[in-house]
Amino acid sequence: TAVLDGDGDPALAACLDRRGAWPRAVGDAWRAVHRDEIPGLPAAIDIYGTRYNAVWFDEEADPAPLAAVLDELVARLGLVGGVVRVHRRNPHQRGLKEEVAVRGDVPETFAVTEHGLTYAINLRSTQHTGLFPDQRDTRRRVARIAAGRRVGNLFAFTCSFSVAAVAAGAEVAFSVDTARSCLETGKANFAGNGLADAGRGKFIQEDARRWLARQQRRREEDPDAWQPLDLLVCDPPVFASGKEGRFAVEKEWAGLARAGAELLGPDGVAVFANNHRTGDHARYRRQLQAVFGRVTDLRPPLDFPVLAGRPHHVRTFWCEDPRA
């Protein structure tokens, strides 16, 4: 194991030993170092094929210690380059900006695999890479029940849940997002997996709240022609702003849960997720329990360890028996 080989940083070696070979056995997008997993290193490092994406979270601390960890990862894993992102508070606006440094060989886009499917990655010019490894297991769970189902994917980003569902035999997947560029990447992901020609992927550039309201009106206006969803995925951002105004998941969660449950058939299943680190986990669950008979907490993949005394990195709920 990495710990027993006696070389390098023992804290990094322990991180790699915790993961073993399992993440790389199912794909080449995984987390090598979780946030706060190495004491004194406020950073997370994700691996995408032969490249890394490192994020430094402490705007007050010097990110220099991260360089030695990355150099060792490059040597251990045979990486060819990567990106370092440093969060900085913007003094003129609320929120954070990112300083991005590219090291080594990092093309504008490239592909990674997960459970036999390929996804486009962009480390250079977008804030998010194109695929969130922390939802790897959830995508697999969705795929296992997707055959023959009508799927709604809200805040779809680059449509990875839709790709997994349609590849597993979903009747149709509606991917809803306000960002045209994300939906274009989603279309490319469908094409890259040989799924584009079947017409089972529908891409809707629209605010998810507006889309939900529009589906509700269609149901009320023509209930005989209405076809409910069988599977819903809702993974909204914590905060966002756009033409529809500001979005804050803490304020919108209950409404999304209620509207989503209303569009599901009696045997429908929903996945709700968010990464609001300072949010009230019990409150998020209670709001789902108000409209679903069964709500189950899903643990993150093993490369996203739950650390004692630290907030949830991501919370994911599997919801059944819609009461709406």
Side-chain angles (χ1 to χ4, degrees):
T1 67
V3 168
L4 295 179
D5 65 19
D7 296 324
D9 183 345
L12 175 59
C15 290
L16 297 178
D17 274 4
R18 290 186 192 105
R19 288 149 179 79
W22 184 85
R24 284 167 279 183
V26 299
D28 51 11
W30 55 285
R31 175 153 291 189
V33 178
H34 193 37
R35 183 173 182 174
D36 299 319
E37 190 176 4
I38 295 179
L41 192 78
I45 306 171
D46 292 326
I47 306 300
Y48 291 93
T50 57
R51 298 169 177 90
Y52 60 80
N53 182 66
V55 181
W56 182 267
F57 296 102
D58 189 344
E59 61 177 313
E60 303 297 333
D62 185 353
L66 182 59
V69 176
L70 291 173
D71 288 344
E72 186 171 340
L73 269 178
V74 166
R76 283 186 179 275
L77 302 178
L79 307 179
V80 298
V83 171
V84 178
R85 305 172 189 272
V86 179
H87 284 183
R88 299 292 189 195
R89 184 70 56 182
N90 187 329
H92 304 295
Q93 300 177 5
R94 299 178 65 187
L96 297 175
K97 65 177 182 179
E98 285 190 327
E99 297 174 358
V100 180
V102 178
R103 302 173 66 189
D105 176 18
V106 183
E108 188 70 18
T109 60
F110 59 96
V112 298
T113 62
E114 177 186 282
H115 290 296
L117 299 171
T118 63
Y119 299 95
I121 300 298
N122 185 331
L123 298 184
R124 298 179 66 102
S125 59
T126 62
Q127 182 180 8
H128 300 297
T129 64
L131 184 71
F132 296 119
D134 57 10
Q135 290 295 353
R136 180 195 313 113
D137 291 357
T138 313
R139 283 187 286 273
R140 185 64 167 172
R141 290 184 176 98
V142 164
R144 285 176 174 170
I145 67 165
R149 294 186 183 239
R150 294 170 54 82
V151 180
N153 183 9
L154 308 183
F155 308 94
F157 189 43
T158 57
C159 312
S160 58
F161 275 107
S162 300
V163 169
V166 170
E171 176 186 331
V172 63
F174 301 95
S175 299
V176 184
D177 201 283
T178 58
R180 180 180 297 276
S181 60
C182 289
L183 294 176
E184 290 300 322
T185 301
K187 293 177 184 178
N189 283 335
F190 265 70
N193 288 285
L195 303 173
D197 295 340
R200 290 183 288 151
K202 309 298 181 183
F203 304 90
I204 302 104
Q205 186 184 1
E206 188 173 13
D207 184 285
R209 296 165 296 180
R210 184 181 292 273
W211 186 82
L212 286 167
R214 186 158 56 84
Q215 302 312 305
Q216 180 63 38
R217 288 195 300 272
R218 290 179 59 193
R219 188 182 78 160
E220 293 170 353
E221 291 168 358
D222 193 355
D224 292 335
W226 167 254
Q227 290 183 276
L229 296 174
D230 306 297
L231 178 58
L232 179 74
V233 178
C234 183
D235 186 0
V238 177
F239 300 105
S241 60
K243 294 181 180 178
E244 303 293 330
R246 296 196 174 208
F247 177 95
V249 68
E250 201 165 20
K251 294 181 179 179
E252 302 285 351
W253 187 260
L256 291 170
R258 182 174 57 255
E262 289 174 351
L263 298 186
L264 287 168
D267 297 322
V269 174
V271 175
F272 280 83
N274 71 66
N275 64 341
H276 186 194
R277 283 174 57 87
T278 59
D280 185 339
H281 185 84
R283 179 173 175 266
Y284 283 123
R285 186 194 300 110
R286 285 196 304 270
Q287 290 176 337
L288 292 171
Q289 289 171 329
V291 292
F292 290 97
R294 291 187 300 278
V295 177
T296 304
D297 286 62
L298 300 181
R299 290 181 64 86
L302 62 81
D303 45 331
F304 291 80
V306 178
L307 304 175
R310 304 303 299 166
H312 284 76
H313 164 73
V314 63
R315 52 179 59 83
T316 305
F317 303 95
W318 187 268
C319 307
E320 300 170 282
D321 187 19
R323 295 170 172 170

